[in-house]
Amino acid sequence: MRMIFIGPPGAGKGTQAARLVNQFTIPHISTGDMFRAAVKAGTPMGQEADRYMKAGQLVPDEVTIGLVRERFAEPDTQAGFMLDGFPRTVPQAEALAEALKTDGVNLDVVLLLEVPDELIVERIIGRRSDPETGAIYHLTFNPPPAEIADRLVHRKDDTEDAVRSRLEAYHKMTAPIIPFYESLGLLKRVNGVGTPDEVTAAINEALK
Ligand code: AP5
C-alpha cells in the first residue's frame, strides 16, 4: 500500500498515521518528524530547517525533496509507505510522481483529512508529545497518563503565532496539490472532526 496523508497542521495526520501503519505494516514517513530528528541531532540540515519550522514556514523544496529521496532509498519502502506531511507543494508532488515513475510503482490513495481552521489552533496549542515513545497527546482531548506528564514536550512551532503562519502556508502552498491528486482520481476526503476513533472509522470507510 502506497498512501499519502495530507491536511492542515494539527488535523490529526500523525495520530491517524500511527494507527494505520500497524494495520498495513508499512513505514510511517513523516517529514516533520525527520526534520525534528535532524534539529535534535544538530546537523547542518537540521539547523537550516529549524529556522523555517520555528517561524511556521515551509522548509525549501530542494532540502525536503532531498530528504525524502534519501529515505526512499531505504529497503523498507519497497513494500509500501505512508507519507505524512509530504508532498506539501506542487514541486514536491511532481518530484514524488517522478520518483515513483522511475521505480515503476503507483500511488494507491491520497487521504485528505479535513478540519476547519477554527479547530486547528485549539488542537495545536494543547498538543504534547512523548519523546520516549513518540505518542501524541492533547491536554483536553487525549490527556496523557499522570506518570509521564513531566517528560512531555510542547513543540517549538506549536505557538499561536506559528500556527497561524502554518495555516497560511497550508492554504497558499499545500492546498494547490489537492486538485492535482483529485484529477488523478486518487483523492479521498475524510472528515477529521470527531473523536480519534470516529476519524479512524471514517478513514477505514474511505479505504474500502
Ligand atoms: P509537521 O510535523 O508535518 O506538522 P504539521 O503538518 O503542521 O502537522 P502536525 O504534526 O502539527 O499535526 P498533525 O496533523 O500530525 O496532527 P496530530 O495528530 O499531531 O511539520 C512541521 C514543520 O516541518 C512544518 O511547519 C515545516 O516547517 C516543516 N515541514 C514538514 N514537512 C515539510 C514539507 N513536506 N515541506 C516543507 N516543510 C516541511 O494532532 C494534533 C493535536 O490534536 C494532538 O494534540 C492530538 O492529540 C489532537 N487530536 C488529533 N486528532 C484529534 C481528534 N480527532 N479530536 C481531538 N483532538 C485530536
Side-chain angles (χ1 to χ4, degrees):
M1 177 70 100
R2 295 181 180 83
M3 336 173 49
I4 300 179
F5 240 123
I6 55 178
K13 304 181 294 294
T15 300
Q16 296 298 330
R19 294 171 172 218
L20 280 180
V21 288
N22 291 332
Q23 206 170 308
F24 292 105
T25 44
I26 47 176
H28 172 204
I29 302 177
S30 155
T31 40
D33 285 349
M34 290 160 82
F35 282 133
R36 280 184 287 280
V39 172
K40 201 170 168 194
T43 65
M45 189 272 279
Q47 285 168 9
E48 184 186 356
D50 195 33
R51 289 203 308 274
Y52 293 97
M53 292 168 80
K54 269 197 236 158
Q57 294 167 0
L58 295 183
V59 178
D61 280 339
E62 60 275 20
V63 178
T64 310
I65 291 168
L67 181 79
V68 173
R69 280 216 179 101
E70 274 176 31
R71 183 64 184 86
F72 268 30
E74 290 177 34
D76 65 337
T77 58
Q78 272 165 18
F81 51 76
M82 154 136 341
L83 282 172
D84 161 6
F86 182 93
R88 242 176 165 107
T89 63
V90 171
Q92 290 180 18
E94 289 168 350
L96 176 65
E98 198 54 46
L100 296 177
K101 195 171 154 199
T102 305
D103 289 349
V105 295
N106 293 313
L107 278 175
D108 293 301
V109 65
V110 178
L111 292 167
L112 168 62
L113 212 45
E114 297 184 298
V115 176
D117 286 5
E118 57 271 22
L119 279 184
I120 293 295
V121 178
E122 195 183 2
R123 282 195 186 181
I124 294 264
I125 301 293
R127 171 170 45 196
R128 298 292 183 274
S129 319
D130 183 347
E132 282 186 22
T133 64
I136 304 166
Y137 296 97
H138 190 282
L139 295 178
T140 311
F141 306 133
N142 179 23
E147 60 273 21
I148 64 161
D150 286 349
R151 69 172 191 236
L152 296 180
V153 175
H154 190 202
R155 269 169 51 178
K156 279 188 280 188
D157 59 345
D158 278 355
T159 61
E160 197 160 341
D161 279 352
V163 175
R164 304 245 175 245
S165 302
R166 284 159 65 192
L167 273 172
E168 202 181 312
Y170 174 76
H171 290 297
K172 198 166 149 198
M173 311 291 288
T174 307
I177 70 174
I178 295 170
F180 174 79
Y181 287 120
E182 208 154 33
S183 70
L184 296 174
L186 291 171
L187 192 86
K188 299 268 186 201
R189 291 172 187 270
V190 174
N191 181 9
V193 182
T195 65
D197 285 347
E198 285 167 348
V199 177
T200 305
I203 289 171
N204 282 321
E205 192 56 39
L207 290 176
K208 267 185 193 160

